[in-house]
């Protein structure tokens, strides 16, 4: 998410909003000072931050939204401390939410009702690596990329697959809360396909284990229920992940096409041929131009779309698969195919994709990234209609897509300081999501609902669907204190960063 | 609500739908989602216990029901709602048997790699029981292939969750909640699955080892490589004899190793070669490769040897698991143990030591990819309470406790079932499960008593 955070007046607008269980002084069930004192008794004085600056810092994430002023920020170091903190918050009727490194862009970590942020950064240990059984156990604060480096290095020859764009900064706990995606989802699945067990502190303060190193335990798949629940059903304090061997070979290629349609049709044709690439990333003309300007890769003028493709697996048969892919590209009038022969060359080809958001951010101060998803064959139509919707609302949209799984990321440049543009960009985003829903897709492929899309939920769920889903929340968090005000439709208008 | 032809209450029919000996008052066959929901709503208002029934392949699973008033059959919910071949997704009603799906998608060179293609289990049943995927190692479990689900609740509501797309984080993952819920939370009406292309080649390597430790060493070496098997099974002598009678003789104490490779021709060839060498190095004297019909037949016989035979007299489905000649006199004991992949062979050995003395012809199969051990004994004497067997079954959890494993008794004669905890000790999150059950089924009409902890 290319957003430049401004150091504008922070938290200046103290909200006297009476929504939610937290009330300002006078109606407190527990006095604010008493709460802070008791929190310090649980966590130690240095693990409780209360200054306005600290509260402001931990009240933001990478989204365009702003929350209410916090009472405190807690920095627990153990599951017990998390559980005690949650119990105290519950007793005090103070809303709380868990936070990793705040890379989320849908507002999942924004405290819309103030209260307490439970920052899990200190719980960052890798507790166990079990190579023989392909498992690792980590605390929620472990950074995704750090786990990868630990597994690929030291001769382990393994990796943890999910690779969201934020992986260098985001935590496994955050990835779990959002069911984070990435660029290898078509072949390897999303985060939930790599999480086999969780330790969770429930909103009533109880600590439970769901799933574990052993697969498919009897009963409902509660592990899968917690993954992607955006921190609204409890706080994850341990995560059992699946780790896998690195593939024997990885072949990276970049193909340039005249049009987005040809590139997208190539993707469907590759799949129809029975080939399952590990990654298929699509960039349109606007992205290519921006990237070329920023890092001077040297793309031909008439390239309307770029497709970055990765095939992985055993070396036997790989060349034949690559030849077949090339053949399919040619059938779709490919301009040129660049093949990486070394790891460095592969990194260079990937740079076009990984630098895309940064390149687009050079062109406008703020970009709003939409996260729609459509069935793969509808991608050409979805991308074209996205551009048209953008034009209608006065925005020049650049399209990036995880073409293999139909997840599109229109990038909309706008001025966040102009309230009118803020409203207009949200309307534009909503129309794009409406279109995705109409095409048989969904309103969020990987970024989560958070605040951003809570009022778009009715585009894909009926009132009954939402009511039934909400029963889960009612069972787990009847007091509505655990990251309240997220996911489900709300009459409250989201506050933008000022 | 429903037509008279959709309700059966004559004795001959209802007896076919007994659950652990409890016979329902009537069997209902809704043919639309609305009808199914209306039946549930009515049952809730009348406080009648409802047992959802697909093809009944795993009806022996679960504790004995406290009541069975109505069986809600999904036999007439067999429509294919949408087969989007270009997008590799299939949406079908819950009563569709898996074998039907396999045939349907094969036409487009697709596969749903979730069960063997001859499996009679229905899509709804597969989800509700979280059925084992024999190729879990390569393709994942139900959780990894299920994209969307539509359910009916006791309240009469019908809700739809998930969709057709692989990446979907809108709201809670309700598909996962329903996985393995055994109809305790709602009745599955329809599901959407992700499909794969049929692999170019699909072969199985068979290697006979004189001892389990030798085979286990070969497996450990295989799993440490970058090879990509779809299935790794260890069969004890009984299982080997039942499923691969033409394979080289497995001596007492020996095992048969089955490893499935699928994918591009060159890749499968290389993997078979590599593994052959590994097996010989670890002492195997007989290595063979099966493909096509041969390997399917083997799987067919293996399933027959390791699953509870459904009653042959059930008229509405030809039973692929139990050849007509096989006797179904007496009961079957089928137990599934979950453990860590590295411990599968140890658990197999411990199970053998504990139970073979009591049941010399017991089949024991270890799935080293998924971390499962399955044991099956047939032809147990009916009637008499088998004290020793009950005692031994009660010991099983001890064998997997240290790994965080589990024991589920999938089928057992009534006297054994009554005296063991078929689900094992309640899980850590049992209170949560209970609260969810109370929320979704406040009157407790769905499969009462059958789920974990008697829920």
């Amino acid at each position: 998410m290319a957003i430049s955070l401004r150091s504008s007046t922070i938290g200046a607008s103290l909200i006297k909003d009476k929504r939610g269980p937290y009330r300002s002084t006078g109606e407190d069930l527990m006095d604010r000072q008493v709460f802070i004192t008791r929190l310090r008794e649980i966590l130690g004085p240095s693990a409780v931050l209360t200054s306005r600056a600290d509260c402001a810092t931990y009240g933001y994430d990478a989204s365009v939204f702003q929350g209410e002023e916090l009472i405190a920020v807690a920095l627990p170091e153990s599951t017990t401390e998390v559980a005690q903190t949650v119990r105290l918050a519950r007793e005090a009727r103070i809303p709380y939410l868990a936070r990793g490194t705040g890379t989320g862009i849908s507002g999942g970590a924004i405290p819309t009702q103030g209260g307490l942020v439970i920052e899990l950064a200190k719980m960052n240990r890798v507790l166990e690596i079990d190579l023989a059984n392909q498992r690792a156990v980590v605390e929620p604060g472990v950074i995704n990329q750090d786990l990868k480096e630990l597994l690929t290095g030291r001769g382990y020859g393994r990796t943890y697959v999910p690779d969201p764009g934020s992986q260098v900064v985001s935590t496994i706990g955050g990835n779990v809360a959002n069911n984070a995606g990435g660029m290898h989802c078509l072949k390897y699945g999303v985060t939930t396909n790599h999480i086999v067990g969780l330790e969770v502190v429930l909103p009533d303060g109880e600590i439970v284990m769901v799933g574990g190193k052993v697969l498919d335990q009897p009963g409902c798949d509660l592990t899968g229920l917690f993954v992607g629940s955006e921190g609204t059903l409890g706080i994850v304090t341990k995560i059992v992940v699946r780790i896998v061997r690195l593939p024997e070979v990885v072949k990276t290629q970049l193909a340039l096409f005249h049009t987005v349609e040809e590139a997208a049709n190539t993707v469907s044709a590759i799949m129809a041929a029975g080939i399952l690439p590990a990654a298929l990333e699509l960039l349109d003309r606007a992205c290519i131009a921006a990237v070329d300007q920023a890092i001077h890769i040297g793309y031909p003028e008439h390239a309307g779309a770029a497709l970055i493709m990765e095939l992985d697996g055993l070396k036997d048969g790989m060349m034949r698969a690559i030849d077949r892919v090339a053949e399919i590209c040619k059938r779709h009038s490919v301009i040129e195919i660049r093949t990486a022969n070394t790891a460095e060359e592969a990194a260079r080809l990937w740079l076009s994709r990984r630098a895309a958001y940064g390149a687009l951010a050079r062109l406008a101060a703020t970009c709003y990234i939409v996260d729609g998803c459509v069935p793969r064959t509808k991608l050409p139509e979805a991308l074209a209609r996205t551009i048209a919707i953008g034009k209608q609302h006065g925005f020049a949209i650049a399209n990036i897509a995880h073409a293999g799984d139909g997840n599109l990321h229109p990038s909309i440049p706008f001025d966040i300081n102009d309230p009118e543009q803020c409203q207009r960009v949200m309307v534009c985003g909503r129309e794009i999501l409406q279109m995705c829903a109409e095409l048989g897709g969904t309103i969020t492929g990987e970024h989560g609902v958070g605040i951003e899309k809570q009022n778009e939920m009715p585009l894909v769920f009926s009132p009954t669907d939402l009511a039934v889903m909400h029963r889960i929340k009612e069972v787990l968090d009847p007091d509505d204190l655990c990251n309240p005000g997220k996911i489900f439709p709300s009459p409250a208008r989201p506050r933008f960063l000022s | 609500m429903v037509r008279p032809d959709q309700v059966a209450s004559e004795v001959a029919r209802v007896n076919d739908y007994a659950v652990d000996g409890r016979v329902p008052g009537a069997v209902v066959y809704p043919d639309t989602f609305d009808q199914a929901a209306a039946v549930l709503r009515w049952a809730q208002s009348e406080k009648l216990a409802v047992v959802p029934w697909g093809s009944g392949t795993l009806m022996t699973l679960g504790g004995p029901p406290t009541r069975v008033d109505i069986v809600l059959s999904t036999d007439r919910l067999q429509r294919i709602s949408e087969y989007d071949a270009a997008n590799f997704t299939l949406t079908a009603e819950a009563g569709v048997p898996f074998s039907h799906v396999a045939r349907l998608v094969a036409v487009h060179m697709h596969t749903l790699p979730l069960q063997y293609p001859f499996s009679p289990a229905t899509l709804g049943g597969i989800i509700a029981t979280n059925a084992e995927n024999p190729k879990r190692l390569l393709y994942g479990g139900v959780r990894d292939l299920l994209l969307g689900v539509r359910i009916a609740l006791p309240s009469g509501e019908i809700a739809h969750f998930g969709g057709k797309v692989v990446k979907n984080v809108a709201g809670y993952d309700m598909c996962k909640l329903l996985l393995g819920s055994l109809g305790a939370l709602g009745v599955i009406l329809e599901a959407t699955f992700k499909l794969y292309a049929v692999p170019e080649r699909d072969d199985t390597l068979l290697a006979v080892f004189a001892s389990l430790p030798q085979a286990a060493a070969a497996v450990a070496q295989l799993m440490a490589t970058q090879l990509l098997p779809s299935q790794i099974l260890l069969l004890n002598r009984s299982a080997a004899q039942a499923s691969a009678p033409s394979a080289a003789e497995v001596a007492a104490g020996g095992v048969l190793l089955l490893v499935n490779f699928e994918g591009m021709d060159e890749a499968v060839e290389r993997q078979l070669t590599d593994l052959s060498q590994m097996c010989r190095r670890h002492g195997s004297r007989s290595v063979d490769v099966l493909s096509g019909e041969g390997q399917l037949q083997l799987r067919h016989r293996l399933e027959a040897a390791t699953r509870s035979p459904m009653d042959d007299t059930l008229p509405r489905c030809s039973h692929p698991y139990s050849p007509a000649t096989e006797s179904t006199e007496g009961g079957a004991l089928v137990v599934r143990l979950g453990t860590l992949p590295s411990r599968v062979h140890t658990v197999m050995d411990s199970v053998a030591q504990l139970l073979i003395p009591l049941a010399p012809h017991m089949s024991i199969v270890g799935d080293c990819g998924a971390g499962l051990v399955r044991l099956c004994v047939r032809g147990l004497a009916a009637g008499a309470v088998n004290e020793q067997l009950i005692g031994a079954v009660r010991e099983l959890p001890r064998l997997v406790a240290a790994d965080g494993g589990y024991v589920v008794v999938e089928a057992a004669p009534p006297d054994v079932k009554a005296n063991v905890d078929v689900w094992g000790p309640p899980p850590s999150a049992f209170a949560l499960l209970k609260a969810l059950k109370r929320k979704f089924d406040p009157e407790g009409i769905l499969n009462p008593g059958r789920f974990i902890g008697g829920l």
Side-chain angles (χ1 to χ4, degrees), chain A residues 276-293:
Chain A
L276 186 56
L280 284 164
E281 295 290 300
L282 189 149
L283 299 151
D284 72 359
R285 173 77 228 150
C287 288
I288 295 172
V291 168
D292 219 358
Q293 257 185 58

Short mmCIF file of all heavy atoms in Angstrom, two decimals, chain A residues 276-293:
data_model
loop_
_atom_site.label_atom_id
_atom_site.label_comp_id
_atom_site.label_asym_id
_atom_site.label_seq_id
_atom_site.Cartn_x
_atom_site.Cartn_y
_atom_site.Cartn_z
N LEU A 276 0.28 -26.13 -14.10
CA LEU A 276 -0.05 -25.34 -12.92
C LEU A 276 1.18 -24.53 -12.49
O LEU A 276 2.04 -25.03 -11.77
CB LEU A 276 -0.51 -26.25 -11.78
CG LEU A 276 -1.03 -25.58 -10.51
CD1 LEU A 276 -2.17 -24.63 -10.81
CD2 LEU A 276 -1.48 -26.65 -9.52
N PRO A 277 1.29 -23.28 -12.97
CA PRO A 277 2.45 -22.48 -12.59
C PRO A 277 2.40 -22.11 -11.11
O PRO A 277 1.33 -22.06 -10.52
CB PRO A 277 2.31 -21.22 -13.46
CG PRO A 277 1.32 -21.57 -14.51
CD PRO A 277 0.41 -22.58 -13.90
N ALA A 278 3.56 -21.85 -10.56
CA ALA A 278 3.63 -21.44 -9.16
C ALA A 278 3.19 -20.00 -8.99
O ALA A 278 2.68 -19.62 -7.95
CB ALA A 278 5.05 -21.63 -8.63
N ALA A 279 3.44 -19.19 -10.02
CA ALA A 279 3.04 -17.78 -9.95
C ALA A 279 2.72 -17.26 -11.34
O ALA A 279 3.34 -17.68 -12.32
CB ALA A 279 4.16 -16.94 -9.33
N LEU A 280 1.76 -16.35 -11.39
CA LEU A 280 1.35 -15.71 -12.65
C LEU A 280 0.93 -14.29 -12.30
O LEU A 280 -0.19 -14.07 -11.88
CB LEU A 280 0.16 -16.45 -13.27
CG LEU A 280 0.42 -17.76 -13.98
CD1 LEU A 280 -0.90 -18.51 -14.18
CD2 LEU A 280 1.09 -17.54 -15.32
N GLU A 281 1.84 -13.34 -12.47
CA GLU A 281 1.52 -11.96 -12.09
C GLU A 281 1.38 -11.10 -13.33
O GLU A 281 2.20 -11.17 -14.25
CB GLU A 281 2.65 -11.39 -11.20
CG GLU A 281 2.75 -12.11 -9.86
CD GLU A 281 1.57 -11.79 -8.97
OE1 GLU A 281 1.38 -10.60 -8.64
OE2 GLU A 281 0.85 -12.73 -8.58
N LEU A 282 0.35 -10.28 -13.36
CA LEU A 282 0.05 -9.48 -14.54
C LEU A 282 0.14 -8.00 -14.20
O LEU A 282 -0.37 -7.55 -13.18
CB LEU A 282 -1.36 -9.83 -15.04
CG LEU A 282 -1.80 -9.27 -16.38
CD1 LEU A 282 -2.76 -10.23 -17.06
CD2 LEU A 282 -2.48 -7.92 -16.23
N LEU A 283 0.79 -7.25 -15.09
CA LEU A 283 0.88 -5.80 -14.96
C LEU A 283 0.37 -5.17 -16.24
O LEU A 283 0.71 -5.65 -17.33
CB LEU A 283 2.35 -5.38 -14.78
CG LEU A 283 3.09 -5.91 -13.57
CD1 LEU A 283 4.57 -6.05 -13.84
CD2 LEU A 283 2.89 -4.98 -12.40
N ASP A 284 -0.40 -4.09 -16.11
CA ASP A 284 -0.89 -3.46 -17.34
C ASP A 284 0.06 -2.34 -17.79
O ASP A 284 1.11 -2.10 -17.18
CB ASP A 284 -2.34 -2.97 -17.17
CG ASP A 284 -2.44 -1.75 -16.27
OD1 ASP A 284 -1.42 -1.27 -15.74
OD2 ASP A 284 -3.57 -1.28 -16.07
N ARG A 285 -0.34 -1.67 -18.86
CA ARG A 285 0.49 -0.63 -19.49
C ARG A 285 0.91 0.43 -18.49
O ARG A 285 2.07 0.84 -18.44
CB ARG A 285 -0.33 -0.01 -20.64
CG ARG A 285 0.29 1.20 -21.31
CD ARG A 285 1.39 0.83 -22.25
NE ARG A 285 2.57 1.66 -22.02
CZ ARG A 285 3.80 1.25 -22.24
NH1 ARG A 285 4.04 0.04 -22.69
NH2 ARG A 285 4.83 2.05 -22.02
N ALA A 286 -0.06 0.89 -17.69
CA ALA A 286 0.24 1.96 -16.74
C ALA A 286 1.31 1.53 -15.74
O ALA A 286 2.22 2.30 -15.41
CB ALA A 286 -1.04 2.38 -16.01
N CYS A 287 1.22 0.30 -15.29
CA CYS A 287 2.24 -0.22 -14.35
C CYS A 287 3.60 -0.36 -15.01
O CYS A 287 4.61 0.03 -14.45
CB CYS A 287 1.82 -1.60 -13.83
SG CYS A 287 0.47 -1.53 -12.67
N ILE A 288 3.58 -0.91 -16.22
CA ILE A 288 4.85 -1.11 -16.93
C ILE A 288 5.55 0.23 -17.12
O ILE A 288 6.76 0.36 -16.90
CB ILE A 288 4.62 -1.77 -18.30
CG1 ILE A 288 4.06 -3.17 -18.13
CG2 ILE A 288 5.91 -1.82 -19.11
CD1 ILE A 288 3.62 -3.79 -19.44
N ALA A 289 4.77 1.22 -17.53
CA ALA A 289 5.35 2.54 -17.77
C ALA A 289 5.94 3.11 -16.48
O ALA A 289 7.06 3.64 -16.47
CB ALA A 289 4.29 3.47 -18.34
N ALA A 290 5.19 2.99 -15.40
CA ALA A 290 5.67 3.52 -14.11
C ALA A 290 6.95 2.82 -13.67
O ALA A 290 7.91 3.46 -13.23
CB ALA A 290 4.58 3.36 -13.06
N VAL A 291 6.95 1.51 -13.80
CA VAL A 291 8.12 0.73 -13.40
C VAL A 291 9.33 1.09 -14.27
O VAL A 291 10.44 1.26 -13.78
CB VAL A 291 7.82 -0.80 -13.48
CG1 VAL A 291 9.10 -1.61 -13.36
CG2 VAL A 291 6.84 -1.20 -12.39
N ASP A 292 9.07 1.23 -15.56
CA ASP A 292 10.15 1.58 -16.48
C ASP A 292 10.75 2.93 -16.13
O ASP A 292 11.96 3.11 -16.13
CB ASP A 292 9.63 1.58 -17.92
CG ASP A 292 10.64 1.00 -18.89
OD1 ASP A 292 11.76 0.63 -18.43
OD2 ASP A 292 10.35 0.91 -20.08
N GLN A 293 9.88 3.88 -15.82
CA GLN A 293 10.33 5.21 -15.41
C GLN A 293 11.16 5.12 -14.14
O GLN A 293 12.17 5.78 -13.99
CB GLN A 293 9.12 6.09 -15.09
CG GLN A 293 8.77 7.09 -16.18
CD GLN A 293 7.65 7.98 -15.69
OE1 GLN A 293 7.79 8.64 -14.66
NE2 GLN A 293 6.53 7.97 -16.40
#
